[in-house]
Amino acid sequence: MKEGYELIYQKPSTLLPRRMHYCPGCLHSTLHKLIMEVVEEMGIKEKTIGVSPVGCSVFAYDYMDVDMQQAAHGRAAALATAIKRMHPDKYVFSYQGDGDLAAIGTAETIHACNRGENFTFFFVNNGIYGMTGGQMAPTTLEGQKTSTSPYGRDPKKVGQPLKMAEMVSQLAGVAYSERLSLNTPGNVRKGKKAIRKAFEMQQQGLGTTFLEFASNCPSGWKCSPVESLGWIEKQMSPYFPLGVFKDVTTGVEKCSCADKQAK
Amino acid sequence: MAAKGFVEISVEGCKGCGLCVHYCPVKCLDLNMADTNSYGLHYAFLKEPDKCIGCANCGVICPDAAITVYRKKN
């Protein structure tokens, strides 16, 4: 380090010094880093238990230096429920992708939210099944080409993409539901604040906290990492708007999908 | 005038995604197209150290936490 300079940003100590297996530019890595930064700042490394899913982020336990458990496909919410009930004083989070949380694990997710289980969901929504080769997911956008929808997603056959953050914000047990993105440095900083807020609300025992992250998949979308971040902004944001859908601490309760259905 | 900040980029930690290059407000970073790391990836490097303002945008956006940022003390 040069003389006269101070350190202002470095890799968090809670992130293990291993090379992550994610593709270049994948926002899974960014979210791992952010969660671990918050854990480091709050000094809760020994009090945090995570649940990793099946999907690209199945090896999250190899990178995060906190206690982790790996759940069966889609059952991370059920496992996190059990862990939180056994250890109510610990900070518990489940880290899930869209195939895990919004497809095979929809029932577990919705019922855990409805019961108001006091843990945090980190939901990474990249609109595609990344690990298995870019198949169509429940969150794939209308007209988006994937390996199982080569002519684009047809809503007449398979329905509209699921808006999970709006959906769970309708449930009484949910204390905080927000959709964020990590596609610009500014959004990454906002994401970190939201993660910290979710952990603090968990400490107060307010209910389920649900954070959805509009994420990217450069390999599945077949574009460069920089282009994929622009794609989030242009293509995903209109259908998956960023913002807070429910927050019991400030009294915010809004849902864009409910407005649509009412019409 | 000395630079306000400087960054250290881990050559082996970098995957060459180019997000830091894209989001650098003063464009002082670039991918090293003349060399690769042991994974065969063109890594990012501080091309114009005099321009760096130590804003930490590159460190914040770097998915692999390969960038350490320093800023000049006032």
Side-chain angles (χ1 to χ4, degrees):
Chain A
M1 190 181 146
K2 274 198 226 173
E3 214 172 289
Y5 285 82
E6 60 183 332
L7 179 72
I8 58 164
Y9 192 87
Q10 68 171 350
K11 185 172 182 162
S13 64
T14 39
L15 199 62
L16 290 165
R18 286 189 188 138
R19 188 184 169 81
M20 295 194 221
H21 71 281
Y22 302 113
C23 306
C26 178
L27 295 184
H28 265 308
S29 330
T30 317
L31 185 53
H32 283 24
K33 181 179 82 168
L34 275 191
I35 298 171
M36 289 301 108
E37 277 177 13
V38 173
V39 167
E40 185 185 40
E41 276 175 21
M42 291 176 75
I44 54 170
K45 185 181 149 188
E46 302 299 327
K47 288 193 211 163
T48 306
I49 304 172
V51 182
S52 71
V54 172
C56 281
S57 48
V58 62
F59 295 127
Y61 52 75
D62 273 349
Y63 310 127
M64 299 185 186
D65 195 10
V66 294
D67 287 330
M68 297 284 288
Q69 180 59 265
Q70 207 272 318
H73 200 0
R75 297 356 170 189
L79 188 54
T81 300
I83 294 171
K84 186 71 186 185
R85 288 187 179 192
M86 291 301 287
H87 300 283
D89 56 326
K90 298 276 196 284
Y91 295 84
V92 179
F93 68 87
S94 85
Y95 186 107
Q96 299 175 267
D98 46 2
D100 197 74
L101 185 140
I104 193 167
T106 323
E108 280 78 3
T109 306
I110 288 178
H111 286 285
C113 288
N114 196 37
R115 293 192 302 266
E117 299 295 345
N118 190 21
F119 65 88
T120 302
F121 282 95
F122 294 116
F123 171 39
V124 180
N125 170 8
N126 60 5
I128 205 165
Y129 290 156
M131 184 184 76
T132 48
Q135 288 86 358
M136 184 170 68
T139 46
T140 298
L141 295 172
E142 185 179 343
Q144 187 182 340
K145 287 178 181 169
T146 66
S147 61
T148 47
S149 62
Y151 303 108
R153 179 178 180 135
D154 181 2
K156 284 181 187 162
K157 286 182 188 156
V158 292
Q160 291 286 351
L162 276 180
K163 295 182 172 185
M164 289 307 293
E166 285 95 327
M167 247 167 82
V168 300
S169 71
Q170 305 285 301
L171 304 171
V174 175
Y176 180 39
S177 169
E178 182 170 3
R179 184 179 292 113
L180 301 135
S181 184
L182 302 173
N183 60 344
T184 62
N187 280 346
V188 174
R189 291 186 171 104
K190 275 186 206 165
K192 188 172 167 182
K193 278 184 193 161
I195 294 170
R196 183 165 185 134
K197 186 174 178 181
F199 277 139
E200 283 168 358
M201 287 172 84
Q202 199 183 126
Q203 189 181 25
Q204 295 161 22
L206 295 175
T208 310
T209 40
F210 189 97
L211 297 181
E212 174 173 341
F213 292 87
S215 187
N216 67 345
C217 183
S219 303
W221 295 354
K222 299 180 175 53
C223 57
S224 76
V226 173
E227 282 166 5
S228 74
L229 298 194
W231 203 86
I232 294 177
E233 186 81 35
K234 284 187 199 124
Q235 307 290 327
M236 280 182 98
S237 294
Y239 189 81
F240 292 114
L242 307 183
V244 180
F245 298 104
K246 188 175 184 184
D247 183 351
V248 292
T249 57
T250 57
V252 175
E253 195 161 346
K254 61 172 181 184
C255 179
S256 60
C257 61
D259 301 342
K260 227 178 195 176
Q261 281 163 2
K263 279 175 193 171
Chain B
M1 193 186 109
K4 285 182 193 164
F6 80 100
V7 297
E8 281 174 356
I9 303 177
S10 156
V11 170
E12 291 301 306
C14 178
K15 288 180 184 166
C17 64
L19 298 187
C20 54
V21 177
H22 182 73
Y23 282 109
C24 177
V26 291
K27 304 290 168 210
C28 63
L29 300 169
D30 204 357
L31 294 182
N32 190 347
M33 299 313 279
D35 193 16
T36 61
N37 61 18
S38 68
Y39 299 94
L41 300 164
H42 296 292
Y43 53 87
F45 73 115
L46 189 56
K47 194 182 182 183
E48 298 175 58
D50 293 344
K51 279 186 175 178
C52 181
I53 54 172
C55 66
N57 267 10
C58 53
V60 169
I61 198 75
C62 177
D64 293 280
I67 305 181
T68 310
V69 186
Y70 300 91
R71 194 182 288 159
K72 198 172 189 179
K73 280 182 195 163
N74 289 323

